[in-house]
Amino acid sequence: MLKLRIFLTVLVPALILTPLLLFFYVRSEKERSYKAEFNELESNVRELGFTLAQNADSITKQIELFTSMLSSPQKMDLDSIFRRAMDEIPGVSAIIICYAPEFLQEVREGKHSRSYLNIFSKCPLPETIPHSFAPTIYRDPQNRDMVYMDSACNYYETLDFYLLPKLSREGFWSDPFKGNMSGLPVSAYGLPFWQDGVQAGVITCLVKIEALFDSQLLNDFVGKGKARSRLFLFGQSGEMVYATKNSPVKSLSLYSIVDQLGRKDLYPEMDKMVRNVSGTMRIDYAKNTQSKDNIQSNVLYIYSKPRNRAHWTIVGAFDEGAIHSEINSRLMKFALGAFFSIFGLCSLISVLLIRGNKPLIIMTQVAEKVSQGDLDVRVPKEYEHKHGSIGKLVQSYNGMIASLRSHISKEVEDSVQKAHIQKELSISQDLQQTFLPANKCRFFPDRGYALSGDLIPAKYVAGDFFDFWRVNDDIVGVVIGDVSGKGVPASMVMVATSTLIRMVASKNLTPGEVVNEVNRVLLQRNKRGMFVTLFLAFYYFKTGELHYCNAGHNKPAIVKKNGFVQFFDYPENSIIGILPDSKFVTCVKKLEPSDLLFLYTDGLTDATAANGDQYGDKRLEQLLVRLSHTPTEQFIGAVEEEIKNFQGESQTDDMTMLILKRMEDITQCWTCHRRIPSKYGAENATIEEIMGILSKQGWSDHDLFAVETGLTEGIRNAIEHGNKFDEAKTVHLSCCVSDTKISISIRDEGLGFAEEKVDDPREKEHLDLPSGRGILLTRGFMTRVWFNESGNEIFMQKIKSKTPHSA
């Protein structure tokens, strides 16, 4: 009877509960393992995209240096310069100097010196200057020698790598193609150059695609063979232009992937893959046994859009079936091993109990009660006095239960306390956010400037702050600051300082006078000895003048359109809140059109990598140079991504940024600001006024139709979806028209929306839904379209066409 009881008490529960517990463990572990595997794959694809963008930008900077050399070629040894460039720049297979036919005509007429065309000594200029001339230097793929040609392509003036840089007057990366000289996939970067003050042609550099990737990272990615990993590169139109050697897919375009499956309903998903910054997509190949990949499972696609001027898409493909199979196999081996181990242990315990060890039986009964939550139960003390190992085991067992009870009680108490603290910190965080600008990214086309800022606290609340506001009709105020210390005390000083600055700034004082007054007030109430560094500026948007005062803060930088970065140079002022006799002065600097003012706290430059290396001023300057052509609405996000990749998850200080961009010289532009009632038809007069201005400036019928469509859709969406026809609310429209483009801002007084949550009307399941068509239509007609962070303001730009269109 005792043996049967022991069997029912130990082995039967073990045989029933162990498989059940292992089942739940395996199910949860399977999901966790897959998520970790997916995160690693996604990180690999993003890192490949990041290194491609870095290498491409590095090459563009090198090419830009060559354009200055071409202005006086007779004074320098260009043969050796270009030969050395091809040795030092990774992957460069050829450099072509494509002269513009009209410039060659002016040389024939004697308007320019023939010496401008003598680029390479081994490519002498013909006696009669030809209509097209493109001296070329390239590396022979067979013997690695340098080869010179007097013209690599006689019809280059019709090709994208020459025509697009020439028309746009700026650098251009072409979609990759198979190079005639190397026979390998290459891309061409073209950049216009000038001689005697006129555009003389385009310097083009052919770069091997594989050289743009990090070779070690690419080899690790392809060499793992994990889940049949493959890598593709797609051009701007969705055409596949590069694939790793182990990629079995031979389709010529991104859409061929779904054409093989007969799944044209997946075209919208492919559109997202080309258009979006990054994302994932799954395709079930099992539905079509004729797939060229011979994969009878789901395939996971992870794609990334590198942030640079080469608008390509990197796609990594992985066999999800193989991933799941590998995880299942690993977990099954673990489950079988655990089951037999537990079964063997329970069998051993049963043998010991069957031999008559009654204390062990009682301990088993006590264990059952403990598992049910009874932590007051104990093995009777009479068994603690048994001789030998049994007595010691009982003592240890009772001690373990007592320690467990004490530990759980303490954990419960700590959990309650932590929850209380967490709630208070959450309230403090919400309170702090109310003192920051509601819309962190704002554009003002009618005033010719844009503002954007962000704050990333190291803890729940921060000691950093930033703010921007209208001081009066001609001035906008910007401020960024850093309070000593972190956490709640620093955040309280931050709130007091930012509130005080706005109050004092309303008294028509200079920035230096405002800071002097703020310093005086803080000294009277600063009991904890905390100090503040800040940069305060008043920007006069009509003239571009920036009146500013720096109180011990980091030196701001001005980022020029050409990539030049200039840090401020000003008298050293003291920090505020410490010395009563500090005197703060006002300085003046002028922002030119397209200048970007970058303000930041030391959380950027003090960011520390895992190896202890700090980001520093030099890396920040190099980053600003790389981002000089980044759109304003993406600028701060690009900086944050760079710092996060550098320091990982170990953020130790608050990180704050604020940018002010002077977009246009509004003295040369037509501007307007209108408040439109929330009812259909109220927008007609404003649209007619803007169309009349564009017509007088000679905009084509095609461009006029595009702008009118964008204006109509934007205003009516604000009336209907933003203000919901509430006539107590208005739609705010700002507009700036220059010689080359129109910039528009349309803001409603509603709660805003998230664009990514709007259903794509091109998808089959959303064809009957009314939403989404207006945004799609606007993006199709305007050159650039984006929303602010709150989703209640849309910004649009349309570049004036250089070639007239028919209506």
Side-chain angles (χ1 to χ4, degrees):
M1 187 66 183
L2 180 60
K3 294 181 179 181
L4 178 62
R5 182 178 177 184
I6 292 174
F7 177 78
L8 295 175
T9 304
V10 180
L11 289 181
V12 172
L15 290 172
I16 297 176
L17 293 178
T18 300
L20 187 62
L21 292 175
L22 288 174
F23 169 77
F24 286 110
Y25 171 78
V26 168
R27 187 172 69 173
S28 62
E29 183 65 15
K30 179 180 178 181
E31 181 179 352
R32 189 201 66 78
S33 298
Y34 176 77
K35 185 177 295 185
E37 191 81 14
F38 171 78
N39 289 338
E40 181 183 357
L41 297 175
E42 184 179 35
S43 176
N44 288 341
V45 174
R46 288 179 182 272
E47 186 65 21
L48 282 167
F50 176 73
T51 56
L52 182 142
Q54 272 194 326
N55 291 335
D57 284 343
S58 175
I59 289 175
T60 61
K61 297 302 178 184
Q62 295 271 10
I63 304 293
E64 288 168 359
L65 294 177
F66 297 155
T67 60
S68 60
M69 301 177 186
L70 294 176
S71 61
S72 57
Q74 70 279 9
K75 297 180 181 179
M76 57 184 69
D77 183 7
L78 289 181
D79 285 58
S80 61
I81 291 175
F82 282 99
R83 286 173 64 93
R84 187 169 66 251
M86 294 189 65
D87 287 333
E88 295 177 355
I89 304 177
V92 173
S93 61
I95 298 176
I96 309 172
I97 314 298
C98 302
Y99 278 95
E102 54 270 22
F103 181 78
L104 294 173
Q105 175 63 29
E106 292 183 359
V107 173
R108 288 195 294 270
E109 295 172 356
K111 296 181 180 179
H112 307 286
S113 172
R114 287 173 55 92
S115 62
Y116 279 131
L117 307 181
N118 293 326
I119 303 300
F120 303 126
S121 59
K122 295 186 180 181
C123 293
L125 185 66
E127 291 296 330
T128 302
I129 299 176
H131 172 74
S132 61
F133 183 54
T136 303
I137 178 174
Y138 74 93
R139 190 186 300 279
D140 191 324
Q142 302 298 327
N143 54 25
R144 307 292 294 170
D145 289 339
M146 293 296 180
V147 180
Y148 294 86
M149 298 176 60
D150 59 357
S151 185
C153 182
N154 293 327
Y155 53 91
Y156 61 82
E157 59 265 32
T158 65
L159 300 179
D160 285 351
F161 68 71
Y162 167 81
L163 190 59
L164 293 178
K166 176 186 177 183
L167 295 178
S168 63
R169 302 173 70 87
E170 60 183 19
F172 174 81
W173 276 97
S174 73
D175 274 353
F177 56 91
K178 188 173 183 180
N180 293 331
M181 301 173 187
S182 65
L184 299 174
V186 298
S187 179
Y189 179 73
L191 186 69
F193 65 91
W194 281 259
Q195 293 176 345
D196 283 347
V198 299
Q199 191 179 48
V202 174
I203 178 171
T204 300
C205 183
L206 302 185
V207 184
K208 297 175 185 177
I209 292 301
E210 287 193 354
L212 293 176
F213 290 103
D214 184 287
S215 58
Q216 183 62 45
L217 188 63
L218 184 61
N219 289 336
D220 290 345
F221 176 84
V222 176
K224 285 182 179 179
K226 184 180 296 183
R228 297 180 65 183
S229 59
R230 295 164 288 163
L231 188 72
F232 308 100
L233 188 65
F234 293 94
Q236 301 180 48
S237 63
E239 180 183 1
M240 189 183 76
V241 293
Y242 173 78
T244 49
K245 294 181 180 178
N246 69 335
S247 300
V249 176
K250 304 299 182 184
S251 55
L252 296 178
S253 74
L254 186 61
Y255 300 93
S256 300
I257 295 175
V258 294
D259 285 342
Q260 293 178 18
L261 307 174
R263 297 287 305 280
K264 293 186 178 181
D265 57 301
L266 294 175
Y267 277 176
E269 293 295 328
M270 292 299 175
D271 290 341
K272 290 181 181 179
M273 187 179 288
V274 175
R275 185 177 67 248
N276 290 355
V277 173
S278 61
T280 61
M281 180 177 64
R282 291 172 173 82
I283 297 181
D284 188 359
Y285 275 80
K287 293 182 179 178
N288 188 335
T289 57
Q290 302 301 318
S291 170
K292 294 182 180 179
D293 292 329
N294 296 322
I295 301 175
Q296 300 302 313
S297 60
N298 288 337
V299 174
L300 170 69
Y301 289 90
I302 301 175
Y303 48 96
S304 172
K305 182 81 88 175
R307 293 175 177 268
N308 72 335
R309 284 174 279 183
H311 302 286
W312 305 327
T313 302
I314 293 179
V315 178
F318 310 91
D319 184 354
E320 274 196 305
I323 295 176
H324 286 290
S325 178
E326 180 182 341
I327 294 173
N328 289 340
S329 176
R330 185 171 66 247
L331 292 178
M332 185 57 66
K333 292 178 182 179
F334 168 79
L336 289 175
F339 174 79
F340 286 113
S341 297
I342 295 174
F343 180 77
L345 179 61
C346 292
S347 300
L348 178 61
I349 294 174
S350 299
V351 171
L352 294 175
L353 291 175
I354 291 174
R355 289 180 177 179
N357 292 308
K358 189 175 180 181
L360 293 179
I361 298 177
I362 296 176
M363 290 172 65
T364 303
Q365 296 171 347
V366 169
E368 290 179 358
K369 294 182 180 180
V370 170
S371 66
Q372 296 171 1
D374 185 1
L375 298 179
D376 294 322
V377 67
R378 299 288 186 276
V379 177
K381 287 191 175 184
E382 60 187 86
Y383 295 104
E384 293 184 2
H385 304 296
K386 292 282 186 180
H387 294 291
S389 59
I390 294 296
K392 293 181 180 179
L393 179 61
V394 171
Q395 292 176 12
S396 299
Y397 199 74
N398 282 338
M400 180 188 68
I401 297 175
S403 298
L404 180 63
R405 185 181 188 281
S406 175
H407 178 72
I408 291 178
S409 299
K410 188 175 184 304
E411 284 292 325
V412 171
E413 182 180 349
D414 289 346
S415 297
V416 173
Q417 186 176 3
K418 288 179 180 178
H420 181 69
I421 295 174
Q422 193 86 0
K423 183 177 180 180
E424 290 185 348
L425 287 175
S426 179
I427 294 174
S428 299
Q429 186 182 38
D430 293 341
L431 178 63
Q432 186 181 44
Q433 290 297 320
T434 62
F435 286 89
L436 298 176
N439 291 326
K440 295 181 181 179
C441 185
R442 293 296 308 277
F443 286 74
F444 302 90
D446 58 322
R447 302 184 183 96
Y449 68 88
L451 289 162
S452 182
D454 198 11
L455 185 156
I456 305 176
K459 297 184 177 181
Y460 271 87
V461 289
D464 285 4
F465 65 93
F466 74 93
D467 197 5
F468 48 79
W469 72 99
R470 287 284 299 279
V471 178
N472 56 42
D473 290 340
D474 299 324
I475 303 173
V476 60
V478 295
V479 65
I480 188 170
D482 185 359
V483 180
S484 62
K486 300 178 182 66
V488 176
S491 71
M492 295 299 101
V493 177
M494 178 277 282
V495 170
T497 305
S498 60
T499 304
L500 186 59
I501 289 174
R502 277 213 180 196
M503 292 174 58
V504 177
S506 64
K507 299 179 180 180
N508 197 25
L509 302 176
T510 66
E513 293 170 340
V514 172
V515 177
N516 279 314
E517 179 66 14
V518 171
N519 182 53
R520 184 187 66 79
V521 175
L522 286 182
L523 280 169
Q524 296 175 352
R525 303 185 180 184
N526 190 4
K527 306 301 182 183
R528 299 175 62 94
M530 302 181 74
F531 59 86
V532 182
T533 70
L534 64 82
F535 180 91
L536 172 67
F538 291 163
Y539 175 62
Y540 294 75
F541 58 84
K542 291 183 179 179
T543 63
E545 286 188 353
L546 189 77
H547 295 223
Y548 64 91
C549 176
N550 187 297
H553 200 70
N554 302 80
K555 290 185 177 182
I558 294 179
V559 182
K560 299 288 186 179
K561 186 177 181 180
N562 61 3
F564 179 71
V565 175
Q566 175 188 5
F567 284 88
F568 278 36
D569 186 17
Y570 44 71
E572 291 291 337
N573 286 329
S574 172
I575 56 181
I576 66 174
I578 297 295
L579 302 176
D581 55 349
S582 297
K583 298 298 181 183
F584 300 92
V585 299
T586 300
C587 300
V588 179
K589 186 177 288 290
K590 186 172 183 179
L591 298 184
E592 301 297 335
S594 299
D595 281 359
L596 183 145
L597 174 68
F598 181 74
L599 309 176
Y600 59 99
T601 60
D602 57 10
L604 269 73
T605 52
D606 292 348
T608 305
N611 61 0
D613 191 15
Q614 283 193 336
Y615 195 74
D617 296 332
K618 187 63 176 179
R619 284 192 179 94
L620 178 61
E621 181 178 0
Q622 294 171 350
L623 174 63
L624 295 178
V625 171
R626 293 201 307 270
L627 298 180
S628 58
H629 294 283
T630 302
T632 307
E633 68 275 12
Q634 300 174 9
F635 195 94
I636 285 184
V639 177
E640 291 177 353
E641 183 177 356
E642 164 77 9
I643 300 300
K644 183 178 180 181
N645 292 335
F646 177 81
Q647 70 179 0
E649 301 298 330
S650 57
Q651 182 180 348
T652 58
D653 196 5
D654 304 327
M655 188 168 65
T656 306
M657 288 165 283
L658 176 62
I659 62 174
L660 168 64
K661 175 71 175 287
R662 184 180 183 187
M663 298 186 296
E664 298 285 353
D665 184 359
I666 61 174
T667 61
Q668 305 297 322
C669 301
W670 180 85
T671 63
C672 72
H673 180 79
R674 302 289 184 267
R675 296 169 65 95
I676 302 172
S678 295
K679 60 181 180 180
Y680 283 163
E683 75 279 6
N684 292 339
T686 300
I687 294 177
E688 289 177 3
E689 179 185 11
I690 296 173
M691 290 299 101
I693 295 297
L694 297 180
S695 296
K696 291 178 181 179
Q697 293 191 2
W699 286 54
S700 67
D701 291 343
H702 180 274
D703 287 346
L704 291 174
F705 179 75
V707 174
E708 184 175 6
T709 302
L711 280 169
T712 303
E713 288 295 331
I715 297 174
R716 291 198 170 189
N717 278 340
I719 292 173
E720 178 181 353
H721 302 294
N723 292 342
K724 300 187 183 303
F725 297 107
D726 184 354
E727 296 190 10
K729 300 177 179 180
T730 56
V731 176
H732 302 259
L733 180 140
S734 298
C735 177
C736 178
V737 179
S738 68
D739 292 337
T740 59
K741 66 182 177 182
I742 178 173
S743 301
I744 303 165
S745 164
I746 301 172
R747 176 170 56 89
D748 60 61
E749 297 178 1
L751 299 177
F753 79 108
E755 184 185 7
E756 62 272 11
K757 295 183 179 180
V758 177
D759 297 321
D760 191 333
R762 295 171 296 178
E763 296 176 351
K764 184 176 181 180
E765 61 271 25
H766 302 143
L767 291 176
D768 296 331
L769 297 178
S771 60
R773 290 181 174 81
I775 298 176
L776 193 65
L777 189 64
T778 303
R779 290 193 182 280
F781 279 111
M782 305 300 284
T783 306
R784 289 178 63 203
V785 177
W786 69 98
F787 290 86
N788 68 347
E789 186 179 65
S790 302
N792 70 332
E793 186 169 11
I794 184 173
F795 309 101
M796 298 180 284
Q797 281 187 342
K798 179 67 178 176
I799 307 295
K800 184 179 181 181
S801 299
K802 293 183 174 63
T803 304
H805 294 77
S806 59

